[in-house]
Amino acid sequence: MADSRQRPRTFPLSLDKVAPKATPAAAPPRRSDELLRPQRPVEAAARDQRQRSAPVGLGLDSDYVRRRMVDRLRAQGVRDEGVLAAMLQVPRHAFVDTALATQAYEDTSLPIGLQQTISKPSVVARMIELMCAGRGPASMGRVLEIGTGCGYQAAVLSFVARQVVSVERLKPLHDKARELLAPLRRHNLRLVYGDGMLGHAPNAPYDGIIAAAGGQYLPQAWLDQLAPGGRLVAPMVAPGGGQVLVLVENREGRYVRSEHEAVHFVPLKSGTT
Ligand code: SAH
């Protein structure tokens, strides 16, 4: 990447150092002691491990690499300052496995379990920008996300919209997202376990709908739940294969569709598991 040529690589980084110079060297970290106890249950150790990468007490290192990520997004053409500010707020490393945390601010999708992935930062930014259509920072009303996954994009959306509803069909991922999002305390974000192909009627209509999984067609429920003036952004299987980003605008009941760049998302599936 052009970026790694400009600066020496700084990875691997300790992403969660909290004011390292101010920490008394003599005090051993209590959590490591606990982890070394042989009788410690594996689940508890794994939970601690996850908490260590949680956004509580973010250190300077992750702030720095996140700022660089946002600089790259700007250089790639993301113009919406509201979206860029939101991307700066959310600690992406807290949403991936600790073993992958050093790659969290590279422009790449990463596995999150159950054959699903966290989307690339550039795609997250691009899709939210398309949905917002330059309405200005934090100006979106109610937004529906299909495919919570680990919850990263839902967190970003919660900084650009007044209210966010995010639906996930895989229960273990829905639970994981709930756990990972808890430290962020986004009170305007609601997670729903269900089939997102049905949208989420109780909170409809939505000013924006964004799908993180791609199907052959756009479910009718999404169009029905899109408010007048609302914008829907979703990957769709292209006629010649592959996927393309599709934008649908609801212009007072007339649905205007445009196609944008090629993308690569996990498949949209019906039902819940
Ligand atoms: N939004 C995530 C990306 C998640 S990957 C991010 O921040 O990176 C896409 C997710 O869509 C997967 O978790 C998958 O289980 C989910 N998905 C696929 N079909 C779905 C459906 N019909 N309803 C809800 N979620 C669905």
Side-chain angles (χ1 to χ4, degrees):
M1 279 168 85
D3 196 59
S4 51
R5 267 181 273 131
Q6 283 159 7
R7 285 177 178 278
R9 276 179 76 85
T10 46
F11 294 113
L13 293 173
S14 166
L15 289 165
D16 284 291
K17 273 189 286 182
V18 184
K21 284 182 186 138
T23 308
R30 191 146 52 87
R31 182 164 279 143
S32 332
D33 292 349
E34 288 171 13
L35 284 172
L36 288 173
R37 275 165 43 199
Q39 73 275 25
R40 184 149 184 82
V42 173
E43 294 89 335
R47 198 173 52 239
D48 281 356
Q49 187 80 354
R50 281 199 299 276
Q51 279 166 0
R52 279 195 289 155
S53 69
V56 179
L58 268 180
L60 292 175
D61 291 342
S62 70
D63 284 349
Y64 171 71
V65 285
R66 196 157 52 250
R67 198 167 291 282
R68 281 187 57 203
M69 175 189 82
V70 169
D71 289 346
R72 281 198 306 269
L73 292 174
R74 194 178 271 115
Q76 284 169 24
V78 179
R79 292 278 168 267
D80 189 318
E81 286 302 324
V83 176
L84 292 168
M87 302 284 292
L88 199 54
Q89 295 283 334
V90 181
R92 190 170 185 259
H93 68 275
F95 291 85
V96 298
D97 198 274
T98 28
L100 299 171
T102 54
Q103 297 172 55
Y105 296 101
E106 293 177 13
D107 196 22
T108 178
S109 54
L110 294 166
I112 54 172
L114 301 175
Q115 297 166 345
Q116 307 303 320
T117 52
I118 180 170
S119 307
K120 279 164 80 153
S122 59
V123 173
V124 170
R126 171 71 178 140
M127 288 179 79
I128 300 179
E129 187 174 53
L130 259 183
M131 184 189 70
C132 291
R135 288 181 216 210
S139 57
M140 287 296 289
R142 202 175 298 156
V143 168
L144 174 68
E145 181 193 35
I146 318 296
T148 314
C150 59
Y152 172 70
Q153 179 170 268
V156 177
L157 286 169
S158 77
F159 285 93
V160 301
R162 193 163 30 81
Q163 196 195 345
V164 179
V165 177
S166 180
V167 188
E168 173 57 56
R169 63 180 289 273
L170 299 177
K171 185 73 164 64
L173 282 182
H174 165 78
D175 292 341
K176 180 176 180 169
R178 190 172 289 291
E179 193 179 325
L180 294 176
L181 284 162
L184 286 183
R185 298 179 192 280
R186 303 305 296 161
H187 300 297
N188 60 341
L189 170 55
R190 174 153 178 240
L191 300 183
V192 175
Y193 167 54
D195 181 358
M197 287 182 83
L198 307 173
H200 187 66
N203 294 103
Y206 300 97
D207 303 302
I209 298 182
I210 196 162
Q216 304 275 351
Y217 65 95
L218 296 175
Q220 184 60 40
W222 299 358
L223 301 175
D224 294 344
Q225 294 174 22
L226 193 61
R231 292 163 71 88
L232 155 62
V233 180
M236 268 185 75
V237 175
Q243 290 174 335
V244 68
L245 263 191
V246 170
L247 165 69
V248 178
E249 298 165 76
N250 178 356
R251 297 194 187 153
E252 309 300 328
R254 200 166 59 88
Y255 294 94
V256 180
R257 175 179 156 154
S258 54
E259 291 187 1
H260 298 263
E261 54 266 52
V263 283
H264 184 67
F265 276 84
V266 297
L268 181 71
K269 294 188 175 172
S270 61
T272 52
T273 307

